[in-house]
Amino acid sequence: MAHAPDGAEPGKQVWVGLQLAHQPGWHTYWKNSGDSGLPTQLAWTLPAGVTAGEIAWPLPKKIPIGNLANYGYEGTVLLPVPLTIAPDFKPSLLSNDLEVRLKADWLVCRKECVPEEGSFVLKIPVHSTTAINGAAFDAAFKAQPRPVLAATGGVIPDSKVQIEGNAIRLTVQGLPVALRGKTLELFPETPEVIETAAPWTQAWNGEVWTATVPLSPQRTGSPSVMPVVLADGAQGYRAELKVLGQWPKAEAAGTVSPALEAALRDNAGTPPPAASIGLLAALFGALLGGLILNLMPCVFPVLAIKVVGFTRHAADRRGHRISGLAYTAGVVLSFVALGALVLALRAAGQQLGWGFQLQSPAVVATLAALFTVIGLNLAGLFEFGAFLPSRLATLEARHPVGNSFLSGVLAVAIASPCTAPFMGASVGLAIALPAAQALLIFAAVGVGMALPYLAASLVPAVARLLPRPGAWMVVFRKLMAFPMFATVAWLVWVLGQQSGIDGAGALLALLVALAMVLWAFTLHGRARTVVATLSLACLALLAWTAGPSITRAQAPTPLAAGTDGWQPWEPGRVDQLLATGQPVFVDFTAAWCVTCQYNKKTTLSNRDVLADLSNKKVALLRADWTRRDPAITAALGQLGRNGVPVYVMYRQGRAPVVLSEVLGVDEVRSVIGAL
């Protein structure tokens, strides 16, 4: 929101702010969040000559959470920020507005917490007024604490904090006469100093207000001045208190007192999942999961390319060994690079999980175009040598190592969204491990995936199992084009889940135009020049007009409650259902996850499974991770997972039961029968 009642020219009063409207029971945090939580962060991008001040925090409320307490906001709150317009500020020549960009991050909590973010743009007219949000800003200004000043207008010199062992004694003078004798609320602005939820005492001695507050055993701050806010109802008063005395030695960072540990244990809702697997078990599971990835339909088309190349040069043993090692290097390094990227982005605050790249419509469309080109090449429509200069056309023959390495990279690009059996727990554990150990697990997945081809290239006995070269290779090569086109069909369907029917249609039109361009370059003479020019123009026009439909994210369509018994998952929904005594089964899925779709069409559609779920009155929730969803990412992390599929059975008072990635009917019925 913006509030510029006199315009946005130099010297005028200009305010901007983020307004948060909380759902019932949810809250965000003040500048000092209390025992847990994080304050809302605002990062501004402003034109030259404009600077943003600090948040003018409204008065918070104390939010008890079991044996802990936080400071924050419920309902609707506006966080106003003043803008200072310098005399040399000049609006853009193309616009008479002041453009304000905001990147905001906030943590919203109930029993569980969900990190959220938003990017916003406001254009404030420079020479005209902006006062439509005046009422909201006026309410926020009234909710701000007033400064406690002496009669002379200065800070009260006798207001202080006296350190007394493991407690502090606050003395505040200059408070309004109307407050005398009343019980006040205390909000210290300095975090991690007092025991937020502990009992404390206060008293009035004439016009002087005093209080004794216990220090936190995990105190990390030792300020020389403590700003505090005292509140009576909706009105607060801010005082800066000088600290007298010597702070006691703070406990080492990271230690947890028995009291806090007990409070955290008491506040825990659903018991946590079973203890995580060890590193050696995770490495073995990653290796085995990578091996099984070769059986996934999203990987098979790429392996088909390698099989054709392998049989083509059956007598070249040295070339086979080099090709196998290069392919393995491409697979392993790509898995490590993807793992490092996930770890780095999560460390920077991004809520990402395994397979995140297929949550981007642009990446999905690019892969669809790549597999279309490969499929048309295998089908014999064109040869790459016809498009390239002779030096580049012979690059594959002169540098087969690079070709094998890139084949490994391509295999990982399309395989990583799959989560094979034994792999889910390993990847979930890797996200929480130190970087070196985490990357070792990702490398193990790559070794497992590359192992079959590596064995065929290094062990003659394995290579002899392959058929001898012959005319069958031409037929086999063309046959392998169809798995490529099947992969394209799957990718178009995935894009349709993200960008809607218009996005899927636009991608299909572009792929047809791309195929026409490839065909045009196979012509000769003048026909090639004319047809290729027209087809390129058609492709460019389609990209310009239909391209935005591909990358435009469609608003998610809520899953209709009662459709086959499934309801949409949302934060807090599991707790709501468990509170009624009803067991809950959650399907964490995504359109780009082939294993998810297989399980959905088989086990989760099985009549016996559905009958058992109905008889036990199990609530069915489906968490769709096709698009990036930080709430679902956080929920997966709590289960020790970082990718889909994940299937979880919840029951009140018991630990969640996480099922296998590839579901079996007997496994699901066994879990249901134990309810």
Side-chain angles (χ1 to χ4, degrees):
M1 290 184 170
H3 182 56
D6 301 317
E9 297 174 328
K12 301 297 185 181
Q13 186 182 49
V14 179
W15 289 85
V16 291
L18 177 71
Q19 187 181 67
L20 299 172
H22 303 82
Q23 294 293 331
W26 293 81
H27 60 269
T28 53
Y29 295 94
W30 187 49
K31 62 195 307 182
N32 171 12
S33 58
D35 284 325
S36 62
L38 292 171
T40 299
Q41 302 289 329
L42 306 182
W44 303 94
T45 301
L46 302 168
V50 182
T51 56
E54 298 296 326
I55 299 174
W57 295 92
L59 183 69
K61 66 176 295 185
K62 192 173 184 178
I63 303 172
I65 307 291
N67 295 331
L68 306 176
N70 294 328
Y71 304 132
Y73 304 102
E74 297 176 332
T76 299
V77 64
L78 173 63
L79 305 179
V81 173
L83 296 185
T84 300
I85 314 296
D88 58 349
F89 165 71
K90 293 182 180 179
S92 168
L93 296 176
L94 301 178
S95 172
N96 206 26
D97 297 331
L98 165 60
E99 184 175 274
V100 178
R101 293 182 176 270
L102 170 63
K103 171 67 169 59
D105 297 272
W106 60 91
L107 183 69
V108 58
C109 298
R110 187 171 54 181
K111 288 183 179 179
E112 66 279 12
C113 291
V114 181
E116 297 185 349
E117 62 181 1
S119 296
F120 310 92
V121 180
L122 276 179
K123 292 187 176 181
I124 306 174
V126 173
H127 301 299
S128 60
T129 62
T130 301
I132 189 172
N133 301 312
F137 277 90
D138 288 342
F141 297 151
K142 291 178 181 178
Q144 291 170 20
R146 302 174 186 173
V148 177
L149 301 175
T152 59
V155 176
I156 302 293
D158 293 332
S159 294
K160 60 189 177 183
V161 171
Q162 180 70 47
I163 301 171
E164 299 178 349
N166 290 324
I168 54 175
R169 182 176 176 82
L170 289 74
T171 301
V172 182
Q173 296 187 12
L175 291 167
V177 175
L179 294 183
R180 293 178 188 176
K182 291 186 176 181
T183 300
L184 305 182
E185 287 282 346
L186 170 65
F187 302 99
E189 293 187 2
T190 308
E192 298 181 350
V193 171
I194 71 166
E195 187 74 13
T196 309
W200 55 285
T201 60
Q202 60 177 296
W204 284 91
N205 184 11
E207 63 179 17
V208 180
W209 180 85
T210 61
T212 301
V213 184
L215 291 176
S216 170
Q218 284 74 46
R219 178 180 58 82
T220 59
S222 300
S224 58
V225 175
M226 274 192 67
V228 299
V229 173
L230 303 176
D232 174 36
Q235 184 58 59
Y237 301 87
R238 183 179 184 273
E240 294 189 357
L241 312 181
K242 184 177 181 180
V243 178
L244 304 178
Q246 187 69 32
W247 287 102
K249 183 179 179 181
E251 290 191 14
T255 61
V256 179
S257 70
L260 180 57
E261 186 176 10
L264 292 171
R265 185 170 58 250
D266 292 342
N267 289 334
T270 304
S276 180
I277 60 176
L279 179 60
L280 289 179
L283 288 172
F284 179 76
L287 183 71
L288 193 56
L291 188 64
I292 297 175
L293 273 180
N294 291 286
L295 302 178
M296 297 290 173
C298 50
V299 181
F300 176 73
V302 179
L303 292 181
I305 303 174
K306 300 305 300 175
V307 171
V308 171
F310 203 84
T311 56
R312 185 183 301 157
H313 306 289
D316 186 4
R317 298 301 313 149
R318 180 177 178 275
H320 286 172
R321 289 193 295 271
I322 294 176
S323 177
L325 292 172
Y327 176 80
T328 301
V331 171
V332 173
L333 291 178
S334 297
F335 266 111
V336 171
L338 267 176
L341 181 60
V342 171
L343 292 173
L345 291 175
R346 286 176 70 93
Q350 299 292 317
Q351 290 292 320
L352 295 179
W354 195 242
F356 71 94
Q357 65 272 28
L358 286 194
Q359 293 176 330
S360 166
V363 173
V364 174
T366 301
L367 286 174
L370 176 61
F371 275 85
T372 298
V373 172
I374 294 173
L376 293 174
N377 172 253
L378 291 175
L381 177 68
F382 74 97
E383 297 295 336
F384 285 107
F387 296 163
L388 304 173
S390 58
R391 291 186 62 184
L392 292 178
T394 58
L395 189 61
E396 180 178 350
R398 290 186 293 110
H399 299 287
V401 175
N403 177 59
S404 296
F405 180 87
L406 293 176
S407 295
V409 174
L410 178 61
V412 173
I414 197 65
S416 58
C418 298
T419 301
F422 308 105
M423 184 176 151
S426 298
V427 173
L429 174 65
I431 299 300
L433 286 175
Q437 296 180 19
L439 295 180
L440 191 61
I441 291 178
F442 290 122
V445 177
V447 171
M449 181 176 170
L451 200 55
Y453 185 76
L454 182 63
S457 65
L458 296 180
V459 182
V462 176
R464 282 195 292 270
L465 297 176
L466 296 174
R468 294 180 177 274
W472 66 270
M473 292 176 55
V474 176
V475 177
F476 184 75
R477 171 181 167 169
K478 293 182 178 180
L479 179 64
M480 288 301 99
F482 292 97
M484 297 294 172
F485 295 140
T487 304
V488 173
W490 166 62
L491 289 168
V492 171
W493 178 76
V494 170
L495 186 81
Q497 306 299 307
Q498 299 171 332
S499 302
I501 189 66
D502 291 342
L507 177 58
L508 284 172
L510 283 173
L511 294 180
V512 172
L514 176 62
M516 182 179 176
V517 169
L518 295 174
W519 168 76
F521 277 95
T522 65
L523 303 176
H524 300 282
R526 189 172 182 180
R528 173 173 177 166
T529 302
V530 174
V531 177
T533 301
L534 291 175
S535 60
L536 282 171
C538 181
L539 178 63
L541 180 62
L542 274 174
W544 176 262
T545 57
S549 298
I550 295 176
T551 56
R552 185 186 301 120
Q554 184 188 39
T557 302
L559 182 68
T563 303
D564 296 331
W566 291 94
Q567 303 177 40
W569 178 94
E570 58 185 14
R573 182 61 176 156
V574 171
D575 290 337
Q576 292 175 359
L577 292 170
L578 290 177
T580 67
Q582 188 176 13
V584 182
F585 182 78
V586 181
D587 171 16
F588 291 91
T589 185
W592 39 259
C593 170
V594 177
T595 309
C596 303
Q597 304 310 316
Y598 172 80
N599 290 334
K600 187 184 299 184
K601 300 298 183 183
T602 55
T603 301
L604 295 182
S605 298
N606 182 273
R607 291 183 178 180
D608 294 334
V609 170
L610 294 175
D612 288 350
L613 290 169
S614 177
N615 292 336
K616 293 286 187 175
K617 293 183 171 49
V618 178
L620 304 178
L621 301 182
R622 182 159 281 153
D624 190 351
W625 207 39
T626 301
R627 302 179 189 86
R628 181 182 172 192
D629 190 325
I632 296 178
T633 307
L636 289 170
Q638 292 172 359
L639 295 166
R641 294 294 189 270
N642 197 248
V644 290
V646 174
Y647 306 97
V648 192
M649 182 69 76
Y650 294 90
R651 186 178 179 185
Q652 190 175 32
R654 295 189 182 180
V657 178
V658 181
L659 285 73
S660 303
E661 285 90 348
V662 178
L663 279 180
V665 171
D666 292 340
E667 179 188 11
V668 179
R669 296 192 70 186
S670 174
V671 173
I672 299 172
L675 295 176

